[in-house]
Each structure stands twice: as C-alpha cells, then as structure tokens.
C-alpha cells in the first residue's frame, strides 16, 4: 500500500511539473520585420534569446522576417491594435503615428555610421524615444542603423541632376524623404519593400532608396547595378512594441521586454559593422557598381535637404527639439 502511494505521489508530481512547464509559456511575442539575413534578424534573434531566458519561459518569442506577417503598413497597424506584439521596419513608417519619428530621417544628424550606433544605444536617448507613439498605443523599445542609405537606379545617379524625372521608392512617407527628391525633380513614392523588386523589373519605378544591406540580401543586383551612396544618410530601424501587449503581461515582464530589447543592441551593432562592409563586397562581386558623389554633388544633395527644412519644421514643430537632443547626445558621447 505504501509503495502504491509513493507511485501515485510521484505521478502527481510529474503531472504537476508538466502543467507548470506548460503554464510557464504564458505569452507569445511575435516580432515582424520586412527583411531577412540582416541586422534586424540578428537583433530579433538576440532579443528572443534574452527575453525567453530572463522571463524563465513565461514569454515565448516567435520571429517572422521577410514580411511573413504582412507588408509594413499592415504590421504597423497590427502593433497598434495588438495583433502583432513587435515590428521593426524603417523608422519612416511610424511618422504618421508620431511626427517625432521624423528625426531619424534627417540627413547629417549622425556624423558617421559608428556614431549613429553609439547615440542610438545611449540610455538617455532610448528613454526619450521610448515615448514616441505612446498616445497611439505603441512604445519604441530599440533603434539602430541598418546601414548607409543607398540609391539604386536602373540608369545610375552620379550627380543630383540625374534624379530629374525619375520615380524613386523612398523609405517611408516622411517629408524628409519626399520633399528633397521633389526639389531635385524626382517623383518619390512610398511603397512597401516587398513590392519594389517586381516594380523595378517591370520598370514602373526607376529606383529605390534603402539601406545598403537590403540590396545584397534581396539580390537587387539582378535588376540594376549602379548604387549611389548618399552623403551623411543612414536608414534607421525602430523596433516598436504594442502597449496592449506590454500592459497585458504586467510590469515585471514588460520591463524584461524593454531591457532585453536594449541588451540586444550591442550584439546586433557589432555584427552589423562587419555585415555592412561585406555587403559592399558582395555587391561588387555580383557586378554591381558603387557610386560615391563628388564633394560638389554632395553639397547639391544636402542643399536640397536644407532647402526644405523650413517647410518641414513648419509642418512638424516638434522636430527641432528632437534634433537638438540628438545632436547634444552625439557631442557628449563623442567627447568621452
């Protein structure tokens, strides 16, 4: 009889542990991105590992690169309404939610790619941008440069005048992407990244503005070769979480999500420094051309940006304060 009771107790404990194990994974956190095999994927993988370990399995993270959960506008909407927990596209796609996101699109904001990495990893800056979009149901949990901005066109852009009459896909509907190109005589259009490759193949658009690594991971060298690196311009990714989800999981688990989003930054940034250099090599290995503008043409391009800034500030009064905060942080960090 005693042996029977011991066996029953052991079985009950086994069932109890099994139930506890199942119950430990109480929440699922889906992370979406529009690209694959790049710094966003590296950040997602590191974030997943950190969250699952730190939460003791209470949060299971599922990663969905390459638009598996839909094109960018759909995933942004999904995060707002809580059907997707986190999405990480180019920051320009969030400007309609909060005009402060436009600060990431300002050419010349960062003195270098490495400076962008350092500033966007600064705790004070991360605290500041975490408030972006709060009144629309989202929280920015991380930001990092994807790569230098490059302009890929069928015919090539070697001077500002070459943009005249060209239909260019820009990285989001931000006026800072749209207005300078209009100033230079181009026809900018905002469209999801997943639609661009077939559009270029059919010649319904003449070119694409994106982070340089996008071109190699997406094998864009199959449709066009001339890639123009834009001066002092970087594509910034923002990882944005649903407030509905953060509220649902409670303050303790929400703090883990925020903390691990930041902890993933140095790992992703270190990986990406090598990846960006490799992207240029891969581009050339596949017959691609890398065009660097002359000093005169750089001035012409940046001049077109400066010319529209009064109009941009008028439409977005909050932008000046954000630029000032980023510039102060950059100066302080670079002087350390």
């Amino acid at each position: 009889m005693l042996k029977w009771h011991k066996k029953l107790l052991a079985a009950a404990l086994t069932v109890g542990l099994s139930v506890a194990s199942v119950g430990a994974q109480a929440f699922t956190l889906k992370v979406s991105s529009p690209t694959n095999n790049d710094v966003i994927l590296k950040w997602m993988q590191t974030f997943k590992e950190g969250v699952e370990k730190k939460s003791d399995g209470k949060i299971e993270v599922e990663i969905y690169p390459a638009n598996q959960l839909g094109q960018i506008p759909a995933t942004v909407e999904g995060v707002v309404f809580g059907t997707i927990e986190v999405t990480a596209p180019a920051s320009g796609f969030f400007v309609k939610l909060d005009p402060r996101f436009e600060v990431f699109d300002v050419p010349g904001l960062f003195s270098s790619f490495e400076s962008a990495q350092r500033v966007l990893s600064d705790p004070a800056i991360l605290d500041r941008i975490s408030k972006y979009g709060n009144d629309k149901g989202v929280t920015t949990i991380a930001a990092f440069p994807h790569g230098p901005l490059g302009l890929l066109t069928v015919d090539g852009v070697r001077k500002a005048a070459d943009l005249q009459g060209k239909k260019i896909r820009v990285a989001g509907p931000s006026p800072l992407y749209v207005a300078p190109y209009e100033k230079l005589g181009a026809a900018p259009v905002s469209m999801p990244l997943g639609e661009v490759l077939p559009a270029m193949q059919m010649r319904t658009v003449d070119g694409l503005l994106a982070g340089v690594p996008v071109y190699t991971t997406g094998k864009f060298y199959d449709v066009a070769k001339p890639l123009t690196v834009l001066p002092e311009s970087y594509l910034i990714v923002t990882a944005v979480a649903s407030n509905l989800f953060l509220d649902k999981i409670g303050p303790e688990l929400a703090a883990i999500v925020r903390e691990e989003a930041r902890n993933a930054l140095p790992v992703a940034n270190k990986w990406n420094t090598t990846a960006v250099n490799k992207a240029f090599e891969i581009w050339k290995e596949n017959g691609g051309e890398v065009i660097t503008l002359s000093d005169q043409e750089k001035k012409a391009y940046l001049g077109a940006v400066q010319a529209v800034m009064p109009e941009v500030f008028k439409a977005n009064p909050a932008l000046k304060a954000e630029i000032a905060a980023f510039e102060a942080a950059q100066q302080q960090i670079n002087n350390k």
Side-chain angles (χ1 to χ4, degrees), residues 17 29 104 114 221 225 231 260 267 320:
L17 288 171
L29 190 163
F104 299 112
E114 293 75 17
Y221 42 70
K225 304 296 184 183
E260 292 309 310
V267 176
K320 275 190 177 181

Side-chain angles (χ1 to χ4, degrees), residues 59-129:
I59 301 175
E60 181 179 7
V61 179
E62 298 177 354
I63 57 179
Y64 295 92
N67 291 316
Q68 292 181 51
L69 297 183
Q71 298 292 339
I72 296 172
T75 62
V76 171
E77 185 177 87
V79 170
V80 172
F81 291 107
T83 57
I84 297 173
E85 287 71 37
V86 175
T87 190
S91 59
F93 286 95
F94 294 103
V95 173
K96 287 185 176 179
L97 287 183
D98 189 325
R100 290 177 293 181
F101 278 101
E102 194 171 17
V103 69
F104 299 112
D105 299 331
V106 178
L109 181 66
F110 302 112
S111 58
S112 67
F113 184 67
E114 293 75 17
S115 183
Q117 291 179 325
R118 290 194 296 269
V119 172
L120 294 174
S121 299
D122 179 62
I125 287 295
L126 286 166
D127 287 345
R128 186 181 187 92
I129 67 176

